Amino acid sequence: MTRVFHAPGAFAIDPPPGLRVLPAPGEVFVSPKLHEELKNEPGLAQLVPGREVGLIGAQGLAHPDELYAYVGVTRNQMKDGSPVTSYGWPYAKNETVEPSTLDIVRFTLAGVVLLPLAVYLSVCARLSAAARTRRLAALRLVGLSKKGVQRVNAAETVAAALLGALLGLGIYAVANQLISRVGLPGFRWYPSDGSLSLSATFICLLGCPTLAWFAGAVGARKAATNPLAVRRSAVEKPPAKWGLLPLLPGLGIVTGYCVAGATGHVPRDTSLSSTLMPLAVVLVGIGLVLSLPILSRSLSRTLARTCRSLPLGLAMRRNEVEPGGVLRVATGLVLLVYAASLAQGVLIELDQVSKNTSPVQSYRLPLDGVPQDEQSAFEAVAGVRGYGVEASSWRDRDTEFPPMISAMVATCSQLRGMVPKIGRCTDGQPFRVVNPRETYDEDSKPGAIFPFHLRNERGERHVMTVRVPKRQVIYGDESGISALSSGQVVVPPSFLPAGFRPENATLILVSSSAPQTVRAVLDDIGGVDPIAKVMTPGVVVTALQQITVVKTILALGMVLGLIIGVAAYLVAATDRAVERRRQVTALSLLGARPRTLRTLQVAQVVLPLAVGLVLAVVAGKAAESSYLVTGGGEIFWDGSGVPLLLACALGAVVVAAVGSLPLIGRRIDPELIRRD
C-alpha cells in the first residue's frame, strides 16, 4: 500500500494525476482496489484515517490492483515532510522492479524463451525440408533459374509468415484483453498498457516476412545449386568438428566458477562476473545445439559397429548418415531441460533475497515526536514478544572521534523476547551484553562513564550518567541482524526519572520472523500511527512485491518455453515422419515387421536424445551453480532440484519415444516409392 499524506500549504497547486482536487484535512481519495479492500477488511481504515470522498482515476495508477491513497492531514499532524510544488513526473520515482532485478529477468528469459524460440524457428524453416527441396530441385532441372527457385521457395514462406504474423497479432490482442482483466499472480495491468504500439505492430508485420524471405532463400540454396544431388538423395556431409568450439569455453567458465565456490574462493568482481556469466550460459546453450549432431554421429557409428540387433543397427546407421535429423527433433527438448535448470537457480537466488534466516524479526521506530502513550501502544502490539529503547551516549561535536556507547533500556524479560539465547540476568542492575561471535565495541570499557541526555514531553531536560559495569551477560544470535550489539549496556527502566526517555532514541520491537506475523505486526503499527517510520532489518518490504512480480514473469516464461519447446519437437517429429515415409515403406516391402520398424524409429530418436539430455542436465546444473556462486548468496549447490530436473528429462524421453511413431502401423503404400 502506498499512501501520500498531504497538508495544505501557502498556495494552491494542481492535483496529482487521477484526481480533480487535492484532499482537504480529514479527507481521503483511494484507488478502486483499496476501496474494495476497505469494505472487506474494515480494520484497514486505521491506515488511511479520514472520510473517503472519491476514487483515484486510472491516470494516477500503475495497474488496477494498486493499493494507493491520498490522505489529507493538517500541518500539525505532519511530523516531517517535503514541500510539494507539483505532482506528476515523466518517470516512476520507485520502479515496480529495480533495473538490476530486471537484468536478471531478461537474462533468464533469454535462456528460457529465446533459445527454444530460435530452435523452433529453425525447425519451422526446414519444415518438410526433404520433400520441398526435391520439388525445388525438379523445378531447377526443368529449366528454372537459381534465383527463380529461391524466389519460389521464399514467396511460399513469406505468404505463410505474413498470415502467421496477422494471426499472432490477433491472438495477442485477445489474450491481452483477457489476461489483463483476470490478472497474473502478483500484478495486473490496464489493457491499454499492454497494447502494441503502431511501431511494434509494423515491425512484426514487416519483420516476420523479411525473416521468412531470408530463411526461404537459404533453404532453397542447396536445391538450386546442386539439384541432381538432391534428387538422387546424396549422402549428407558429416558435421564439422568446430561445432564443439562454443561448448568448450562455456563449460570452462562455468567449471571455473564452480571450483571457486567449492574451494571457498568466491569471486568478488561483480562487473567481470556479470559479463562472463551470461556469456558462458549463451556459449553452453549454443554448444549443446551444435555438438548434438557430432555426438549423435559418433555414438551411432560406435553402436552400429558393435551391436548385433537389426533394429538398433538400422537406426544407428540412419543416424550416422543423417545426424541433422536428430538435431531438429531433439534440440528443443534438450534446451528445455537446460533452461529449466537455469530458472531453478534464479528462483533459489530470489528466495534467498526474500527469506529472513533469523528466527526473530525486529522493527526500529524513531521516537522523536512520538508521545509516551503512543510508544506504549507500539509496545502492546499483538505479536510483539520483546521490546526496548535504544539510545547513544552524548558526544562532543567539537571532537572528531569522541568515545560513545549504546545503551538498551529494557528488563530481563523483554531481552529474552528480543534475542534467541541470553544468559542469566538480574532486573534492577545494569550489565553488558556480549556475543562471542560479534565484534565487541571497544569504547565500552568497564568503569568508563558516559552521559545520556534525557527529555520529557514538556521539553524538560535531564542528564543521566552511566558507568559501564563489569558484569556481563552472554547472548547468542547468529542472524547478523540482532536487536542487541556486543558491548551494549543494558539499563533497567527504573534508572530513568519518571516521564523521561533518551533523546534521539529508537524503539525496537521484536516478533517472530514468520511472514504472517511480520505482516500483522506492521499492520498494527500502522493502526497506531499511519505515518510512523518503521525499519525492518533483514527484510526489504518493498522487495517482496518485486519478487512476487519476478516469480510470476519467470513462471510465465517457463510456460512459454515449455510450449515452444514441445511445439518445436512436434513440428520436427512430424517433419521427420514425412521425410522417412519412403524409407519406412521400403523396409516394409523388404519384409520388416511393424515391431521392428517401431523399435527402429524409437531408437533413432531416444538414444541421441538421451545423450543430449544427460549433457544438458550436467551442463545446466553446472551453469546454475556458477550463477549462484556469482550471485552473492549462501546457497551454491541445489541438490533438491535434481529430482525435478531428472523427471523433466525422463518425461522428455517418454514424449520423444511416443512422438516418434506417427506412421508406423500404416498399410504399405508402394506408390510412395513409385512416384519417386
Side-chain angles (χ1 to χ4, degrees):
M1 184 189 299
T2 302
R3 299 163 298 163
V4 178
F5 292 86
H6 177 84
F11 57 91
I13 64 173
D14 293 333
L19 295 185
R20 295 189 303 271
V21 295
L22 284 164
E27 295 181 345
V28 177
F29 285 94
V30 297
S31 63
K33 184 65 175 179
L34 182 56
H35 175 75
E36 296 177 5
E37 294 296 335
L38 288 172
K39 289 183 178 180
N40 298 331
E41 299 288 343
L44 288 177
Q46 59 190 357
L47 298 179
V48 282
R51 178 174 56 90
E52 184 180 321
V53 294
L55 300 178
I56 304 173
Q59 296 81 4
L61 301 173
H63 53 83
D65 282 341
E66 190 169 20
L67 302 179
Y68 211 97
Y70 289 96
V71 183
V73 296
T74 63
R75 294 292 295 270
N76 295 331
Q77 291 175 296
M78 187 81 70
K79 295 184 176 64
D80 53 20
S82 302
V84 178
T85 58
S86 65
Y87 280 99
W89 292 84
Y91 56 89
K93 184 178 180 181
N94 299 314
E95 298 91 346
T96 302
V97 180
E98 293 181 354
S100 59
T101 308
L102 272 181
D103 292 338
I104 298 176
V105 175
R106 293 190 184 101
F107 162 70
T108 309
L109 291 182
V112 174
V113 179
L114 292 186
L115 282 179
L117 180 61
V119 174
Y120 178 71
L121 293 178
S122 65
V123 168
C124 289
R126 296 196 58 184
L127 183 61
S128 300
R132 187 176 66 231
T133 54
R134 292 172 65 82
R135 177 173 52 82
L136 295 175
L139 292 176
R140 178 75 177 97
L141 290 174
V142 297
L144 196 62
S145 64
K146 291 182 179 180
K147 290 186 177 180
V149 171
Q150 292 180 338
R151 288 171 182 171
V152 168
N153 189 46
E156 294 177 356
T157 311
V158 166
L162 183 59
L163 178 62
L166 291 172
L167 183 62
L169 290 174
I171 292 175
Y172 174 79
V174 174
N176 176 53
Q177 294 290 331
L178 294 177
I179 299 178
S180 62
R181 286 172 168 79
V182 176
L184 296 173
F187 72 104
R188 285 200 302 162
W189 61 94
Y190 291 104
S192 58
D193 292 337
S195 300
L196 290 180
S197 62
L198 290 178
S199 59
T201 304
F202 178 76
I203 290 174
C204 291
L205 292 177
L206 182 63
C208 291
T210 302
L211 181 63
W213 172 272
F214 285 105
V218 172
R221 183 179 300 171
K222 181 179 179 181
T225 304
N226 194 356
L228 286 177
V230 173
R231 293 298 300 176
R232 294 171 179 172
S233 301
V235 179
E236 293 184 4
K237 293 182 180 180
K241 299 296 184 182
W242 63 265
L244 295 172
L245 190 59
L247 185 62
L248 297 179
L251 287 178
I253 297 174
V254 166
T255 304
Y257 279 123
C258 290
V259 172
T263 57
H265 299 84
V266 180
R268 302 299 181 187
D269 189 354
T270 56
S271 59
L272 180 62
S273 299
S274 62
T275 302
L276 287 180
M277 194 59 235
L279 178 63
V281 170
V282 173
L283 287 176
V284 172
I286 296 175
L288 287 175
V289 176
L290 298 180
S291 63
L292 193 57
I294 302 173
L295 298 176
S296 174
R297 186 171 185 272
S298 300
L299 175 66
S300 300
R301 175 181 294 181
T302 302
L303 290 178
R305 290 175 179 176
T306 57
C307 74
R308 296 184 178 181
S309 171
L310 175 62
L312 186 59
L314 288 174
M316 294 302 100
R317 288 301 183 188
R318 171 55 57 182
N319 285 344
E320 180 183 355
V321 299
E322 193 187 28
V326 178
L327 173 66
R328 300 201 307 273
V329 175
T331 301
L333 298 177
V334 170
L335 285 181
L336 189 62
V337 174
Y338 173 68
S341 183
L342 291 178
Q344 279 185 347
V346 175
L347 292 176
I348 290 173
E349 184 182 16
L350 291 175
D351 185 63
Q352 292 184 80
V353 173
S354 61
K355 184 171 60 177
N356 184 3
T357 57
S358 174
V360 297
Q361 176 63 51
S362 61
Y363 313 82
R364 303 178 66 89
L365 293 85
L367 289 178
D368 288 346
V370 176
Q372 189 68 41
D373 57 346
E374 190 170 299
Q375 176 185 341
S376 301
F378 285 139
E379 296 170 351
V381 164
V384 172
R385 63 187 195 186
Y387 59 87
V389 176
E390 184 182 58
S392 297
S393 62
W394 179 83
R395 60 181 180 178
D396 188 358
R397 301 292 182 181
D398 296 333
T399 307
E400 186 175 2
F401 298 106
M404 57 180 297
I405 62 169
S406 173
M408 177 69 69
V409 181
T411 64
C412 290
S413 60
Q414 295 169 2
L415 290 178
R416 293 189 184 97
M418 296 174 65
V419 292
K421 299 177 182 178
I422 190 169
R424 185 176 181 180
C425 66
T426 304
D427 284 324
Q429 298 180 2
F431 55 87
R432 291 175 295 123
V433 289
V434 178
N435 187 351
R437 296 181 178 270
E438 292 184 4
T439 302
Y440 186 84
D441 184 5
E442 296 181 355
D443 290 339
S444 183
K445 300 177 181 179
I449 298 177
F450 294 89
F452 284 82
H453 285 196
L454 311 179
R455 180 185 293 181
N456 61 12
E457 293 185 1
R458 295 189 298 272
E460 300 173 349
R461 295 177 178 270
H462 180 75
V463 177
M464 178 184 68
T465 58
V466 174
R467 182 186 298 272
V468 179
K470 295 182 179 180
R471 185 170 178 268
Q472 67 179 24
V473 175
I474 305 297
Y475 76 96
D477 189 354
E478 300 178 0
S479 65
I481 52 174
S482 173
L484 300 178
S485 59
S486 187
Q488 196 171 38
V489 177
V490 176
V491 178
S494 58
F495 272 45
L496 275 65
F500 283 84
R501 69 183 180 198
E503 291 183 343
N504 301 321
T506 300
L507 176 63
I508 298 181
L509 309 176
V510 176
S511 72
S512 167
S513 62
Q516 61 273 16
T517 303
V518 174
R519 197 177 299 272
V521 170
L522 288 174
D523 288 343
D524 290 345
I525 290 175
V528 175
D529 185 357
I531 57 176
K533 289 186 177 181
V534 186
M535 291 174 285
T536 54
V539 173
V540 183
V541 178
T542 55
L544 297 178
Q545 174 67 16
Q546 292 191 33
I547 292 170
T548 302
V549 173
V550 170
K551 286 184 176 180
T552 300
I553 295 176
L554 288 181
L556 185 62
M558 293 177 68
V559 172
L560 287 175
L562 176 63
I563 295 174
I564 294 171
V566 173
Y569 169 74
L570 293 177
V571 170
T574 304
D575 182 33
R576 183 176 175 83
V578 172
E579 293 181 359
R580 292 281 296 140
R581 284 187 303 177
R582 291 169 46 251
Q583 288 84 359
V584 171
T585 303
L587 290 173
S588 299
L589 289 174
L590 290 174
R593 297 178 179 179
R595 186 172 63 180
T596 301
L597 295 177
R598 292 190 183 96
T599 306
L600 186 154
Q601 289 282 80
V602 172
Q604 273 185 312
V605 176
V606 168
L607 288 181
L609 176 61
V611 175
L613 290 176
V614 170
L615 186 60
V617 170
V618 174
K621 295 305 296 183
E624 175 193 353
S625 298
S626 60
Y627 174 78
L628 293 175
V629 168
T630 59
E634 297 181 357
I635 299 177
F636 293 165
W637 321 108
D638 173 31
S640 59
V642 174
L644 178 60
L645 208 60
L646 293 178
C648 293
L650 182 61
V653 172
V654 173
V655 170
V658 175
S660 61
L661 308 173
L663 294 180
I664 301 302
R666 293 182 52 185
R667 66 181 180 85
I668 298 176
D669 188 4
E671 189 72 12
L672 293 172
I673 297 180
R674 189 190 67 78
R675 288 175 182 172
D676 185 50

